[in-house]
């Protein structure tokens, strides 16, 4: 699907596809030259207007979005909202001139992963590497959680099909029980949250 792929295999050996929302061709070429020099750029598309951004997101498989804060046609924050609405997992870095602290904080709150001042534009290189490492970590975490959910479901199926009563508790409070356990204790509606000691003979407590 358009826009879904990641243009890297290992962080540090990566080249990225980038959408750059920038009205100044000179600034665009400067950033492009820096990224090419550091061997980070696979391909970069420059857009200025809202319609161009939407078209680029639909037709270009991108990894990251760079955007200026002040644009003559539409604002950088609006550009961020458009990207986030369609691709919330894609990192966005704001590249701009002097940015007051309160605006910089707002930019991050609105969804930017980082911001870089044009006077310190070489900081863009470590910024891109850092945000793409975060993307990789988020992706790996999601895969791990999915694997755990699948494993948990497999254990649940095994437990529910067991001919034995199975109860899981923490400090005596029942966290899980299978259907067979409910039958054994004659609790048709289940007994989650109940103190397990209530079901034990006094001499076994």
């Amino acid at each position: 699907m358009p826009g879904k792929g990641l243009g890297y295999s290992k962080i540090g050996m990566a080249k990225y596809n980038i959408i750059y929302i920038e009205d100044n061709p000179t600034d665009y070429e400067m950033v492009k030259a820096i990224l090419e020099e550091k061997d980070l750029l696979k391909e970069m598309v420059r857009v200025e207007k809202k319609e161009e951004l939407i078209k680029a997101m639909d037709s270009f498989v991108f990894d990251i979005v760079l955007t200026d804060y002040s644009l003559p046609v539409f604002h950088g924050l609006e550009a961020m909202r458009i990207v986030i609405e369609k691709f919330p997992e894609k990192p966005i870095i704001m590249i701009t001139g002097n940015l007051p602290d309160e605006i910089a904080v707002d930019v991050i709150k609105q969804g930017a992963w980082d911001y870089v001042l044009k006077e310190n534009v070489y900081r863009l290189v470590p910024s891109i590497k850092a945000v793409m490492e975060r993307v990789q970590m988020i992706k790996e975490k999601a895969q791990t959680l999915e694997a755990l959910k699948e494993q948990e479901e497999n254990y649940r199926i095994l437990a529910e099909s067991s001919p034995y009563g199975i109860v899981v508790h923490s400090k005596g409070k029942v966290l899980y029980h299978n259907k067979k356990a409910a039958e054994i204790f004659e609790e048709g509606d289940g007994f989650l949250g109940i103190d397990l000691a209530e079901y034990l003979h006094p001499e076994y407590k």
Side-chain angles (χ1 to χ4, degrees), residues 160 166-168 174-179 181-182 187 190-192:
E160 290 301 327
I166 298 175
V167 177
V168 179
V174 177
L175 301 179
Y176 166 83
H177 62 78
N178 64 354
K179 293 179 181 178
E187 294 284 0
F191 53 102
L192 295 178

Side-chain angles (χ1 to χ4, degrees), residues 88-179:
E89 77 283 3
K90 298 293 184 180
I92 303 170
I93 298 177
M94 188 76 70
I95 305 177
T96 186
N98 186 33
L99 203 62
D101 290 344
E102 62 272 14
I103 297 180
V105 170
D106 186 54
V107 164
I108 299 299
K109 285 183 177 179
Q110 294 290 331
W113 290 42
D114 198 1
Y115 71 93
V116 175
L117 299 180
K118 289 183 178 179
E119 62 186 42
N120 298 320
V121 72
Y122 276 94
R123 199 182 74 79
L124 180 61
V125 171
S127 176
I128 288 177
K129 290 181 179 179
V131 299
M132 294 311 295
E133 285 176 356
R134 283 176 58 192
V135 168
Q136 183 71 0
M137 289 173 63
I138 291 169
K139 181 180 179 181
E140 290 174 355
K141 182 179 179 180
Q143 290 173 340
T144 300
L145 289 175
E146 185 63 29
L148 286 173
K149 287 180 181 177
E150 184 177 346
Q151 187 179 53
E152 182 181 345
E153 179 63 15
N154 289 339
Y155 282 132
R156 189 193 67 80
I157 292 172
L158 286 172
E160 290 301 327
S161 61
S162 173
Y164 303 101
I166 298 175
V167 177
V168 179
H169 73 92
S170 176
K171 297 180 179 179
K173 298 294 183 181
V174 177
L175 301 179
Y176 166 83
H177 62 78
N178 64 354
K179 293 179 181 178

Side-chain angles (χ1 to χ4, degrees), residues 11 44 46 51 62 71 74 91 106 115-116 123 130 141 157 165 183 185 193 199:
I11 300 299
M44 186 155 69
R46 181 172 76 92
E51 296 77 15
F62 66 98
L71 296 161
F74 73 128
D106 186 54
Y115 71 93
V116 175
R123 199 182 74 79
K141 182 179 179 180
I157 292 172
E183 292 176 9
F185 291 113
Y199 294 93

Side-chain angles (χ1 to χ4, degrees), residues 9 18 20 24 53 68 103 106 108 156:
S9 56
I18 299 173
Y20 190 4
N24 189 323
L53 173 59
D68 195 355
I103 297 180
D106 186 54
I108 299 299
R156 189 193 67 80

